[in-house]
C-alpha cells in the first residue's frame, strides 16, 4: 500500500516536471547585486541584476539585516532608485554599521536568492557631478582678461556642516584639441582661466570626489566661444620691460667704458708692491745713492713709534718644555746700548728663556711652507712674541739653503736705542730674503749709510741681528752665509769674517766685534769676540768703541788704552754705496 | 618721578597683555615641538593639524585593509565573522548625521579621545604580530607602523584641543580595552588571519568615525557651520 502511494507521488512529480519542461518554465535564476552607492553619506541605493526568469513572471524582493541585529527587513523603497533598485532613506541608513543585503527572485516555480552583499555605507560614497556649471568671459580694465568658471556642489551633499568634504576637478580644452587642461580645487566653487586662445571654442567639464570615496561622473560638457579680438597678452608690460632693460644695459656699458679700469681694480685689487718707507726706486735707478740715502734719512729716519709698532708684533712662543736658558749675557758689557737688549731678553714674562735661538728655530720650522713672501708686510712666517720682540725670519729655498736662517732681532723698546741701523721694514720678521747675498748687501748698505750712528751697541746689535741659530744647521748656514758674504768685495768692511770655527754654537745672541786690523785704505776688519774660546789666531784682542759719527759718514773710534793697534779710522763714504744693491 | 615710572610700566604691561589676548587665534604659529604647555597654538591650527592626521590615518587603514583582503582573505568568508567583532562597539557613538549633529561637542570630543586611547594597545600589538607574520608584505607592516605613530600624535593633538575648548574638564573617561591578543597569536592560521581581518576592519571603521567627527567639529567650532 505504502509503496504504491510513494511511487504514485513520484510519478506525479515527474509528470509535472516533464510538463513544465515541455513548457519551458523553471524557477528563476539567482539574481546578482551589482552595486550600492551613497551620494551624500546620508542615504544609499542598491541595484541588482536579475537572472533568467524561468519563463514565469518573477518578483524580486530585497531583504537585509544590520550588523548586530537579528531582525530581517525588507527594502523600504523600490521606486526611487529606478528599476531593480532599492533606496534606503535617511531613516534607514546607519553609517558605521554593516548591512547584509540579499535579493530574492520569486516565481511560481521557486525562489532564488542572490549571494549576500556586505555593505558599509562609508565606503560606497560616490557623489553626483557638480551642478550649475556656468562659463563667463571677463574683461577687467586694468588686468588681464580671463574665463570665469562657476559651479555649485552636487545635490544631496551637506558641505556646509562639514559632514561631506569635497574636492573638484575641472578640465577644459579647445574643441579640436586632444589633450585636456586640468585644474583642482578643494573647497572653492569657482575658477579663473587665463591664457586662452582667441577665436577658439572651449569645452569645459567638471567632476568631484569626497574625502574618502569615488569620483563622480563628468558633468555634461559646457562650451564657450572666445571672440577673435580677445586680448591674450598684455604687451605693454613687456615693452616697458624691454625698454628698461635696454636702458640699464646702456648705462652699464657706459659706466664700464668710462671707469673700466677703476671698476676692474675695485673688483680685483692689485697686489701691492713692496714699499720701503722713504725708499725711492727711481732714485735708485738713477744711481744717485746720496739722494736716495738722504731721502731715506729724511723720512723720519730712524723710525720711532711706527718702528716700534712694527717691531712689536712678533713671535708668540707657546709652551716650551725644555727651557733652554739663554746664556746670560756677560755682565761685563755694561754699555748703555747693550743693556736694554739684555733686559729685553730677560725681562719678558718668563719667556725669555724660551726664546733661545734653538727653540725659536724650531718654531721657525713651521712656516717653512711659505717661502719668499717677500714683499708683503704680512708675511705668514712671522712668529709672534710681542714680549720679547724677537722675530724670526726665514730664508726661502730659492737659494737652496736647506735650513733656515732665522735672524734674531732684539729690539729695544726705546727708540733712543734703536739697535738697527736699518729701517725695520727690511729686517722685520715679515720679510724673508731671497738670498743671503741680498741680505748681506742690504745689511751692508744700511750699515754703510748709517755708519755715522754706529756705536758699540749697534755693532753688537748687528751681530745679534746676524745671530745664526746654533746647531748643525746653523753652522752650515752661517758658513754659507759668510761665504756668500765674503764673496762680495766690500763685505769684509763691516761684517765679521767668521773662521771655520763658527763661534755661535752656544746660542749666545750677542757677539762683540773685535777689530782685527785696519787695512791701509781704512777698512775695518772685524772679528767676533768668541774667538778666544777656540783659540784665536791672533793674540790681540782689541775692542773699539765708536765715540761719534761725523757728517760724512765717518766712524770715529775711541782709542782703547789697552789696545795697541787702535787708530782713528776713517771709513770713506764711497765704500758704502757700492755695497748697495 | 618714581610713581610715573611705575604707572608707565604698568601701562606697558597692560598693553602687552591686551595685545596678546586680542591677537590670540589670529596669528597662526607652528605646533609646539616640545609638547603641550610650552607654547600657545591657535585652535584653528590645532584643528587643521588634527583633521589632516585623522584623514591620513583613515587612508592608511583603508589601504592596509585592502592589501590584507587581497592577499589573505580571498574566498575565505572572513567578513561573516567580522560582524560585531569590534571592541569599541560599546562606545555610544552617533550612527548618522542627525545624531552626530545633535551630539554636544564635549561628548563628541570625549568619544574621539576614548576611541583613540582604546586603539593604542591594539595598534602596538598589531605591529608586533604583523612583523611575525609569515611573509608579511611590507605594504602592510609599514602602514601599521605609521598608523601607530600617527595615532599617538592625534591623541596628543586631541588632548590639546580638548584642553582649549573645554578648559578644566576632566578627561579620565574609561575607554574600552582590547582583549584580542590571544586570537592574534593562535596557532591555527585561518583563525589567526580571521582575527587580523577583524582587527583591520574595526580599525578602518573607527578611523572613519574619528575622521568624520573631527571634520564635523572643525566646521562647527572654527567655521561656524559655514565650511
Amino acid at each position: 500500500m505504502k509503496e504504491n502511494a510513494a511511487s504514485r507521488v513520484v510519478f506525479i512529480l515527474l509528470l509535472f516536471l516533464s510538463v513544465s519542461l515541455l513548457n519551458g518554465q523553471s524557477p528563476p535564476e539567482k539574481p546578482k547585486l551589482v552595486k550600492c552607492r551613497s551620494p551624500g553619506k546620508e542615504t544609499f541605493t542598491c541595484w541588482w541584476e536579475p537572472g533568467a526568469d524561468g519563463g514565469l513572471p518573477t518578483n524580486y524582493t530585497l531583504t537585509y539585516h544590520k550588523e548586530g541585529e537579528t531582525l530581517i527587513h525588507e527594502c523600504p523603497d523600490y521606486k526611487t532608485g529606478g528599476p531593480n533598485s532599492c533606496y534606503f532613506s535617511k531613516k534607514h541608513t546607519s553609517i558605521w554599521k554593516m548591512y547584509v543585503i540579499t535579493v530574492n527572485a520569486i516565481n511560481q516555480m521557486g525562489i532564488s536568492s542572490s549571494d549576500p552583499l556586505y555593505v558599509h555605507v562609508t565606503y560606497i560614497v560616490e557623489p553626483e557631478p557638480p551642478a550649475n556649471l556656468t562659463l563667463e568671459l571677463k574683461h577687467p580694465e586694468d588686468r588681464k582678461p580671463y574665463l570665469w568658471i562657476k559651479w555649485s556642489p552636487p545635490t544631496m551633499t551637506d558641505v556646509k556642516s562639514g559632514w561631506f568634504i569635497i574636492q573638484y576637478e575641472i578640465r577644459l580644452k579647445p574643441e579640436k584639441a586632444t589633450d585636456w587642461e586640468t585644474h583642482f580645487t578643494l573647497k572653492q566653487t569657482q575658477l579663473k582661466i587665463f591664457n586662452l586662445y582667441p577665436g577658439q571654442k572651449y569645452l569645459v567639464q567638471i567632476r568631484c570626489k569626497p574625502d574618502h570615496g569615488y569620483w563622480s561622473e563628468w558633468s555634461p560638457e559646457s562650451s564657450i566661444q572666445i571672440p577673435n579680438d580677445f586680448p591674450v597678452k598684455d604687451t605693454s608690460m613687456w615693452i616697458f620691460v624691454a625698454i628698461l632693460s635696454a636702458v640699464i644695459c646702456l648705462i652699464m656699458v657706459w659706466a664700464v667704458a668710462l671707469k673700466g679700469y677703476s671698476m676692474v681694480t675695485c673688483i680685483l685689487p692689485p697686489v701691492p708692491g713692496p714699499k720701503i718707507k722713504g725708499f725711492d726706486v727711481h732714485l735708485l735707478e738713477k744711481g744717485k745713492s746720496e739722494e736716495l740715502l738722504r731721502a731715506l734719512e729724511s723720512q723720519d729716519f730712524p723710525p720711532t713709534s711706527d718702528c716700534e709698532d712694527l717691531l712689536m708684533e712678533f713671535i708668540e712662543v707657546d709652551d716650551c718644555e725644555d727651557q733652554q736658558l739663554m746664556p746670560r749675557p756677560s755682565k761685563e758689557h755694561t754699555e748703555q746700548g747693550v743693556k736694554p737688549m739684555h733686559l729685553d731678553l730677560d725681562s719678558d714674562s718668563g719667556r725669555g728663556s724660551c726664546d733661545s735661538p734653538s727653540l725659536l728655530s724650531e718654531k721657525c720650522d713651521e712656516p717653512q711652507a711659505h717661502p719668499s713672501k717677500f714683499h708683503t708686510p704680512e708675511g705668514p712666517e712671522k712668529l709672534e712674541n710681542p714680549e720679547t720682540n724677537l722675530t724670526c725670519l726665514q730664508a726661502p729655498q730659492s737659494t737652496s739653503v736647506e735650513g733656515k736662517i732665522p735672524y734674531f732681532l732684539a729690539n729695544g723698546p726705546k727708540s733712543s736705542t734703536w739697535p738697527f741701523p736699518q729701517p725695520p721694514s727690511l729686517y722685520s720678521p715679515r720679510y724673508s730674503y731671497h738670498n743671503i747675498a741680498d741680505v748681506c748687501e742690504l745689511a751692508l748698505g744700511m750699515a754703510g749709510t748709517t755708519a755715522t750712528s754706529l756705536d758699540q751697541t749697534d755693532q753688537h746689535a748687528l751681530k745679534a741681528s746676524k745671530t745664526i741659530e746654533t746647531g748643525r744647521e746653523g753652522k752650515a748656514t752661517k758658513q754659507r752665509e759668510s761665504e756668500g758674504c765674503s764673496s762680495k768685495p766690500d763685505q769684509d768692511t763691516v761684517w765679521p769674517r767668521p773662521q771655520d770655527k763658527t763661534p755661535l754654537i752656544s746660542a749666545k745672541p750677542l757677539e762683540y766685534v773685535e777689530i782685527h786690523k785696519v787695512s791701509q785704505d781704512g777698512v775695518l776688519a772685524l772679528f767676533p769676540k768668541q774667538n778666544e774660546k777656540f783659540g784665536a789666531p791672533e793674540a790681540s784682542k782689541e775692542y773699539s768703541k765708536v765715540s761719534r759719527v761725523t757728517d760724512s759718514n765717518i766712524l770715529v773710534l775711541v782709542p782703547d788704552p789697552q789696545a795697541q793697534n787702535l787708530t782713528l779710522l776713517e771709513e770713506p763714504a764711497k765704500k758704502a754705496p757700492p755695497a748697495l744693491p | 618721578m618714581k610713581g610715573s615710572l611705575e604707572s608707565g610700566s604698568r601701562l606697558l604691561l597692560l598693553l602687552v597683555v591686551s595685545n596678546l589676548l586680542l591677537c590670540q587665534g589670529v596669528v597662526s604659529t607652528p605646533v609646539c615641538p616640545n609638547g603641550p604647555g610650552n607654547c600657545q597654538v591657535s585652535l584653528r591650527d590645532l584643528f587643521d593639524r588634527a583633521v589632516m592626521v585623522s584623514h591620513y590615518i583613515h587612508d592608511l587603514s583603508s589601504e592596509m585593509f585592502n592589501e590584507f583582503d587581497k592577499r589573505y582573505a580571498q574566498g575565505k568568508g572572513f567578513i561573516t565573522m567580522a560582524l560585531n567583532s569590534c571592541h569599541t562597539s560599546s562606545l555610544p557613538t552617533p550612527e548618522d548625521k542627525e545624531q552626530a549633529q545633535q551630539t554636544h561637542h564635549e561628548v563628541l570630543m570625549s568619544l574621539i579621545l576614548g576611541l583613540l586611547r582604546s586603539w593604542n594597545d591594539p595598534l602596538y600589538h598589531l605591529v608586533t604580530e604583523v612583523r611575525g607574520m609569515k611573509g608579511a608584505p611590507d605594504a602592510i607592516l609599514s602602514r601599521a607602523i605609521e598608523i601607530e605613530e600617527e595615532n599617538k600624535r592625534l591623541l596628543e593633538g586631541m588632548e590639546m584641543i580638548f584642553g582649549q575648548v573645554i578648559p578644566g574638564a576632566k578627561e579620565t573617561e574609561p575607554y574600552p580595552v582590547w582583549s584580542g591578543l590571544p586570537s592574534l597569536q593562535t596557532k591555527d592560521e585561518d583563525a589567526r588571519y580571521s582575527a587580523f581581518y577583524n582587527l583591520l576592519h574595526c580599525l578602518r571603521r573607527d578611523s572613519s568615525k574619528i575622521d568624520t567627527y573631527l571634520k564635523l567639529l572643525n566646521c562647527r567650532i572654527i567655521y561656524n557651520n559655514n565650511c
Side-chain angles (χ1 to χ4, degrees), chain A residues 82-121:
Chain A
N84 296 328
S85 74
C86 179
Y87 170 75
F88 294 82
S89 61
K90 280 189 201 180
K91 202 169 66 170
H92 297 100
T93 312
S94 301
I95 307 297
W96 292 288
K97 277 207 163 64
M98 194 82 82
Y99 281 73
V100 186
I101 298 168
T102 327
V103 176
N104 312 300
I106 308 162
N107 72 2
Q108 266 186 343
M109 298 297 293
I111 298 175
S112 296
S113 293
S114 67
D115 292 330
L117 186 68
Y118 294 85
V119 175
H120 208 277
V121 179

Side-chain angles (χ1 to χ4, degrees), chain B:
Chain B
M1 185 66 181
K2 206 177 180 185
S4 68
L5 201 70
E6 274 178 20
S7 63
S9 62
R10 271 193 215 126
L11 188 65
L12 185 67
L13 186 67
L14 187 67
L15 266 171
V16 168
V17 170
S18 65
N19 269 334
L20 284 173
L21 288 171
L22 286 169
C23 294
Q24 195 184 43
V26 173
V27 178
S28 67
T29 51
V31 185
C32 316
N34 305 325
N38 285 10
C39 55
Q40 275 296 326
V41 186
S42 75
L43 195 63
R44 176 187 285 245
D45 279 343
L46 284 173
F47 261 109
D48 276 349
R49 209 61 82 100
V51 164
M52 270 199 290
V53 176
S54 71
H55 183 100
Y56 184 46
I57 291 175
H58 182 55
D59 270 344
L60 287 172
S61 310
S62 298
E63 286 165 16
M64 194 163 67
F65 177 84
N66 287 331
E67 277 288 326
F68 186 89
D69 190 31
K70 204 166 63 178
R71 256 179 165 260
Y72 299 97
Q74 286 302 307
K76 296 266 177 82
F78 286 147
I79 191 145
T80 55
M81 296 193 282
L83 304 178
N84 272 330
S85 63
C86 296
H87 67 288
T88 53
S89 46
S90 59
L91 280 173
T93 52
E95 289 299 317
D96 60 27
K97 186 181 102 175
E98 277 72 28
Q99 277 184 30
Q101 279 182 328
Q102 282 157 19
T103 312
H104 194 260
H105 60 263
E106 203 178 305
V107 177
L108 263 183
M109 276 202 267
S110 54
L111 281 171
I112 294 171
L113 280 170
L115 279 168
L116 288 169
R117 284 187 190 123
S118 72
W119 272 101
N120 262 335
D121 192 43
L123 281 171
Y124 170 77
H125 288 290
L126 178 71
V127 170
T128 324
E129 296 307 319
V130 166
R131 267 211 191 102
M133 213 159 79
K134 181 185 66 177
D138 191 54
I140 296 176
L141 179 63
S142 60
R143 287 192 171 92
I145 293 167
E146 187 77 11
I147 291 172
E148 194 202 350
E149 211 176 286
E150 295 294 322
N151 197 66
K152 289 198 184 106
R153 200 176 290 173
L154 183 59
L155 182 58
E156 245 179 57
M158 273 313 297
E159 280 167 352
M160 285 171 74
I161 291 174
F162 197 81
Q164 277 204 24
V165 174
I166 310 152
K170 62 169 174 73
E171 29 163 330
T172 51
E173 299 279 333
Y175 56 87
V177 176
W178 178 70
S179 56
L181 186 58
S183 52
L184 278 188
Q185 294 172 325
T186 185
K187 289 268 174 24
D188 180 4
E189 200 179 74
D190 263 358
R192 191 153 35 104
Y193 285 163
S194 176
F196 270 114
Y197 186 92
N198 286 348
L199 194 63
L200 294 178
H201 163 258
C202 291
L203 177 64
R204 187 185 180 199
R205 170 194 293 176
D206 285 345
S207 61
S208 169
K209 279 189 186 173
I210 293 165
D211 189 39
T212 309
Y213 296 156
L214 261 176
K215 283 167 177 167
L216 204 65
L217 281 174
N218 184 35
C219 276
R220 198 197 286 183
I221 294 173
I222 305 292
Y223 293 94
N224 223 4
N225 271 327
N226 197 17
C227 270

